Amino acid sequence: MLASAVALLGLTIGGLSAVGEGEPEASDEDTSSAATIPANVVPEGSAIPEGAYLVGMPPTRSPIPDIDVRDRLPRSTRRRHLVLPAPTVRTQPLVGLMIGLGLTYAYRPTPAAVNRVFLNAHARISLRRVHEHGFRLSFADWLGRGEIFEIVGSVRLDPVFPFYGFDPRLVLDDRSIADPHFLNRVNTYALSFTYQHPIWRAGPDGPARVRGSLRGLVGLSYALDQVQIERPDALLAAEMPGAIGLTRRGGIKVGLVWDRRDNTWSPRWGGLHSAIIETGGPWTGSSIGSWARVNVALRWYRHLFFRDLVLANALIVDALVGDVALVPLGQIGGLSDVDAIGGRDLGRGYIHRRFIGRNKAIYSMELRFEPFELKVRRHVVGAGFKLFADIGRVFRGGETVFDNNRVTGGPGAYVAIDRFSLIRFDAGFSSEMVAFYVTGEHSF
């Protein structure tokens, strides 16, 4: 796995010369000497001197905080168009080594502005014949109000989809996780659209630590699940026979988002909190009865002692009611759906979707240290290290608050390219196994 990761990084850096073609040649000039101007003394519409930045707000006066202008960004991260086509490698237990191609693109009109356009697309297949294809496309602040449009599409073809049932007494080991008794074939096709509309802004002309944006969220989603069992004695056939076959899931989502992050892709300060309700049924095109999900997620980011040492925390509570399909039982929803508890994002160290149920909660903490940043040609490559811990559980009747809590943790590392694309390496330790992950983006 490590050899694959090193090879991936070499291929990625080697292909960076094609990034940002057509942009002015980068300069080694240190931007730390650039002039700074307090935002509250610049009249609206006035010209800003060459080489100067507005302190506390980007020149576009965007209400969405992104890159802190006091970070002294090198010129290589200040191009309008950032493009990174590269081979991708992922790995996690049961899925196995997954290789493919990915494309990340961002459009930033000014050095400190938000990503007006952001696209992440990928096509991957694993040695266990698991397919993952999809894209995430977002548009931000095109109307000048801090609004966000996002479209997400995905296709997952999984011939080793796990179902370990609802019994918390079941204990697995490295061999039993791949027992055919637990594995099924599940293909999922999903498409969603969300819109976040600004409601209120805090400190629009103040420093990054006091800025924030309260946004209302509405969204639509639709998914198809094709579920097949590979053998008649499969556990899924015994515990959820109604899940076998074709299931249609249509949903409507509403909620609130409070965003105070200083940077949207790798925050060092602030928070991202959301409260979202999702519901569906026959009236949304579902083939199952009415259902609903309530998700509350709180995420905090603080740098400790110095800005390169970051403490990140997340607390997520997720509850489902009604006629719930198989796939959502093993996910935590909210702004996006993530496999949990167990997997490469939440509950690292357990097999993905290890603990499923209607009511779930998880607390995750990461201590991130980002000491290195090197120039590779016209690009900036940073390296970081971290320690993480996840504590999660599925709530069932008759249990106390201390029953069946699942604790995992371990070390990790990550590589950031041009401060907008990231490769993450995690090693998770649990009571059942040790799991290694290579993936993209922070877990939260």
Side-chain angles (χ1 to χ4, degrees), residues 13 16 26-29 74-77 372-382 418:
I13 296 175
L16 283 174
S27 168
D28 293 331
E29 176 188 354
R75 289 187 182 275
S76 57
T77 65
F372 305 115
E373 197 168 76
L374 303 173
K375 286 196 65 176
V376 179
R377 297 182 181 177
R378 299 171 55 197
H379 306 277
V380 174
V381 178
D418 275 349

Side-chain angles (χ1 to χ4, degrees), residues 152-196:
V152 179
S154 64
V155 175
R156 183 180 176 92
L157 312 179
D158 192 345
V160 288
F161 185 92
F163 178 82
Y164 300 110
F166 304 97
D167 188 351
R169 298 169 297 178
L170 177 66
V171 178
L172 301 175
D173 55 32
D174 288 340
R175 296 182 59 184
S176 58
I177 62 171
D179 190 323
H181 177 64
F182 300 123
L183 305 184
N184 313 275
R185 180 178 296 273
V186 178
N187 299 336
T188 299
Y189 310 85
L191 182 67
S192 67
F193 167 82
T194 58
Y195 170 68
Q196 296 184 37

Side-chain angles (χ1 to χ4, degrees), residues 257-277:
V257 180
W258 171 240
D259 190 354
R260 290 188 60 243
R261 295 171 296 171
D262 63 339
N263 182 286
T264 57
W265 76 275
S266 184
R268 300 186 182 192
W269 189 269
L272 176 64
H273 312 311
S274 61
I276 295 173
I277 298 175

Side-chain angles (χ1 to χ4, degrees), residues 242-307:
I244 300 172
L246 177 66
T247 299
R248 301 190 304 272
R249 295 182 284 121
I252 297 176
K253 184 183 295 188
V254 296
L256 293 173
V257 180
W258 171 240
D259 190 354
R260 290 188 60 243
R261 295 171 296 171
D262 63 339
N263 182 286
T264 57
W265 76 275
S266 184
R268 300 186 182 192
W269 189 269
L272 176 64
H273 312 311
S274 61
I276 295 173
I277 298 175
E278 186 177 8
T279 186
W283 49 281
T284 59
S286 299
S287 60
I288 55 178
S290 298
W291 58 274
R293 161 180 263 150
V294 178
N295 179 277
V296 176
L298 308 175
R299 306 171 185 89
W300 304 269
Y301 309 92
R302 293 291 184 273
H303 50 75
L304 306 176
F305 309 114
F306 49 94
R307 67 182 308 279

Side-chain angles (χ1 to χ4, degrees), residues 1 4-5 8 87-91 97-100 124 423 438-439:
M1 183 199 71
S4 300
L8 166 67
T88 67
V89 175
R90 286 193 173 189
T91 183
L97 178 65
M98 177 171 281
I99 58 176
R124 293 184 287 261
I423 305 171
V438 179
T439 186

Side-chain angles (χ1 to χ4, degrees), residues 288-425:
I288 55 178
S290 298
W291 58 274
R293 161 180 263 150
V294 178
N295 179 277
V296 176
L298 308 175
R299 306 171 185 89
W300 304 269
Y301 309 92
R302 293 291 184 273
H303 50 75
L304 306 176
F305 309 114
F306 49 94
R307 67 182 308 279
D308 291 327
L309 184 64
V310 178
L311 178 64
N313 299 269
L315 175 62
I316 305 173
V317 178
D318 192 272
L320 288 159
V321 295
D323 193 358
V324 182
L326 169 64
V327 173
L329 286 173
Q331 292 179 329
I332 285 180
L335 294 174
S336 61
D337 295 334
V338 178
D339 282 351
I341 295 173
R344 61 189 171 215
D345 292 308
L346 299 173
R348 289 160 287 183
Y350 284 109
I351 194 71
H352 66 288
R353 302 177 59 89
R354 172 63 181 90
F355 304 103
I356 67 175
R358 292 175 177 267
N359 305 311
K360 298 179 282 290
I362 191 162
Y363 170 74
S364 187
M365 178 183 68
E366 290 192 356
L367 186 64
R368 303 169 183 167
F369 182 45
E370 307 176 12
F372 305 115
E373 197 168 76
L374 303 173
K375 286 196 65 176
V376 179
R377 297 182 181 177
R378 299 171 55 197
H379 306 277
V380 174
V381 178
F385 308 93
K386 66 180 178 179
L387 294 173
F388 66 87
D390 299 333
I391 305 173
R393 67 171 296 174
V394 176
F395 293 90
R396 298 179 175 90
E399 293 181 339
T400 71
V401 70
F402 301 104
D403 292 338
N404 298 314
N405 291 312
R406 310 296 176 174
V407 181
T408 67
Y414 52 93
V415 176
I417 302 170
D418 275 349
R419 300 183 182 176
F420 89 119
S421 183
L422 186 138
I423 305 171
R424 170 166 57 96
F425 312 86

